[in-house]
Amino acid sequence: MSPVLDTAFIPPRDREEVVRNAVWKSMVAVDIDHRPPAEDISVRIGLGTVGPIRICSARATAVTLRRTERLAREDEEPAVTLGVQMTGSSVVVQNGRECLLRPGEFAVYESIAPYTHLFDEGVDYRFIRFPRAALALPDRLLRDITAVPLGSGNPVARLAFTYFSQLAVSDELHQGVHADAVVEPSIELLRAVLTSQHGNSSLARAPLEATLSLRITQYIREHLADPDLSATRIAAAHDISVRHLYAMLSRSGISLGDWIRTRRLAECRRELARPNGRLRTIAAIGRSWGFVDATHFSKVFKQAYGISPRTWRDQNHPRSST
């Protein structure tokens, strides 16, 4: 996400007010206490929207954010903010709890209750704001789960960290049909994280099932180069039967074998076209993406792209004439 606000281009005397206005208009009203003097304040903010979801990607010098009682009472649209810690650490305080966030962790906090967010080491953070109504979760559950570190102990949270940290900075996902396509999965994935962390299986079951396709395709991408990637292995990793796996993917319009092969071929095609595409044999590149038979690899590559892998590589890396 490209920054839309950079205090390097703003006179020091105006920086606090400009940052305050940007945060209030785009995300949520908070009191902002910058630690450094005005001339040393550094803030870079990128903003985006995905349907009703608002996104702020921020890097800044040390700061404290406070959502006061008065500001919480004035909230027009109750929201839940997902805060993703990229580097460094921060502290979130809400509803009588205080949590320390480290890289790879995130927490949620509600706009309808006061909170404090301390960034003593500076800010490298993703703020993702969801309409509270869209999550459709009980008030008690949300109160119980705010200011709780989410990450390493919850496999759904680990997936969500990767997903939301990428969603926050991907301009392609913030517009048009791509944005429309990820709104519902984003909401359901956050619901899955919160309900599974809370331990309420009756609430967790629906969102976990709703995000199953997303979790499976993410798993496949992470293991795309494994030659033993199979329906049996994928199903076992998600505690479902192979039959359920195929049925679920079918409902999403996905043919498992074709989906895997298409993405493996795309990776091979990219490698063959890279500057170092001649450093390995074509067969070795195919094997590195799960094509153990070189003849089969050449055949399916030509079927997909209308050209052999050797010809494709030669077009991108013509041999110099002597």
Side-chain angles (χ1 to χ4, degrees):
M1 179 188 299
S2 301
V4 297
L5 184 153
D6 189 339
T7 54
F9 303 100
I10 299 171
R13 66 179 181 277
D14 298 329
R15 289 176 182 173
E16 291 189 43
E17 185 64 20
V18 169
V19 171
R20 176 183 178 276
N21 287 339
V23 172
W24 280 46
K25 290 179 180 178
S26 63
M27 296 298 292
V28 67
V30 288
D31 288 341
I32 304 175
D33 179 16
H34 295 276
R35 305 295 178 80
E39 61 270 19
D40 295 327
I41 292 175
S42 175
V43 179
R44 287 168 58 88
I45 294 177
L47 301 173
T49 59
V50 180
I53 303 169
R54 300 182 188 178
I55 298 171
C56 174
S57 178
R59 288 178 178 268
T61 44
V63 69
T64 297
L65 309 178
R66 291 186 178 88
R67 177 82 169 162
T68 64
E69 289 271 9
R70 178 182 62 80
L71 293 173
R73 286 196 304 269
E74 295 174 355
D75 197 30
E76 295 181 0
E77 181 191 24
V80 173
T81 297
L82 169 66
V84 183
Q85 189 74 43
M86 302 307 298
T87 63
S89 64
S90 66
V91 174
V92 180
V93 182
Q94 189 173 49
N95 292 330
R97 285 184 298 276
E98 176 179 311
C99 79
L100 174 66
L101 292 180
R102 298 181 175 87
E105 296 180 327
F106 58 90
V108 296
Y109 30 99
E110 296 186 274
S111 67
I112 61 172
Y115 63 77
T116 301
H117 204 155
L118 299 95
F119 295 93
D120 289 338
E121 302 175 6
V123 181
D124 186 2
Y125 206 76
R126 313 282 188 254
F127 301 87
I128 306 176
R129 185 180 188 270
F130 294 80
R132 197 173 188 272
L135 292 173
L137 291 171
D139 292 348
R140 177 61 183 273
L141 184 148
L142 286 173
R143 284 196 301 270
D144 289 347
I145 208 71
T146 53
V148 172
L150 304 166
S152 59
N154 183 329
V156 185
R158 290 198 300 270
L159 167 70
F161 176 86
T162 301
Y163 176 87
F164 286 118
S165 59
Q166 293 178 3
L167 176 68
V169 296
S170 176
D171 290 333
E172 291 180 333
L173 294 177
H174 299 170
Q175 52 193 334
V177 295
H178 302 297
D180 295 338
V182 298
V183 169
E184 196 62 28
S186 300
I187 292 170
E188 292 297 342
L189 180 55
L190 181 55
R191 292 184 74 232
V193 173
L194 301 183
T195 54
S196 61
Q197 183 75 22
H198 193 264
N200 190 327
S201 60
S202 62
L203 287 172
R205 191 175 301 115
L208 281 173
E209 180 67 20
T211 59
L212 184 57
S213 177
L214 172 68
R215 291 184 286 121
I216 286 173
T217 53
Q218 177 70 20
Y219 177 88
I220 295 172
R221 287 190 181 94
E222 291 174 354
H223 298 86
L224 202 56
D226 298 353
D228 62 343
L229 184 64
S230 66
T232 301
R233 176 180 166 185
I234 297 167
H238 294 85
D239 297 319
I240 60 175
S241 68
V242 171
R243 182 178 180 180
H244 187 183
L245 170 69
Y246 280 118
M248 184 277 306
L249 291 177
S250 178
R251 289 195 297 270
S252 300
I254 295 174
S255 170
L256 181 61
D258 291 344
W259 200 91
I260 293 174
R261 183 169 56 254
T262 297
R263 278 147 188 82
R264 282 177 167 173
L265 285 171
E267 293 297 336
C268 293
R269 188 170 184 260
R270 275 192 285 270
E271 283 210 32
L272 288 166
R274 285 172 182 162
N276 59 357
R278 288 194 179 276
L279 296 182
R280 291 194 298 163
T281 66
I282 290 172
I285 291 174
R287 281 196 302 272
S288 70
W289 289 102
F291 295 102
V292 295
D293 185 299
T295 302
H296 174 70
F297 169 54
S298 293
K299 180 181 178 181
V300 296
F301 189 98
K302 188 169 185 178
Q303 287 174 343
Y305 301 115
I307 189 174
S308 71
R310 184 173 304 280
T311 303
W312 169 253
R313 185 176 66 177
D314 289 345
Q315 286 182 354
N316 286 274
H317 306 288
R319 294 184 183 275
S320 58
S321 58
T322 57

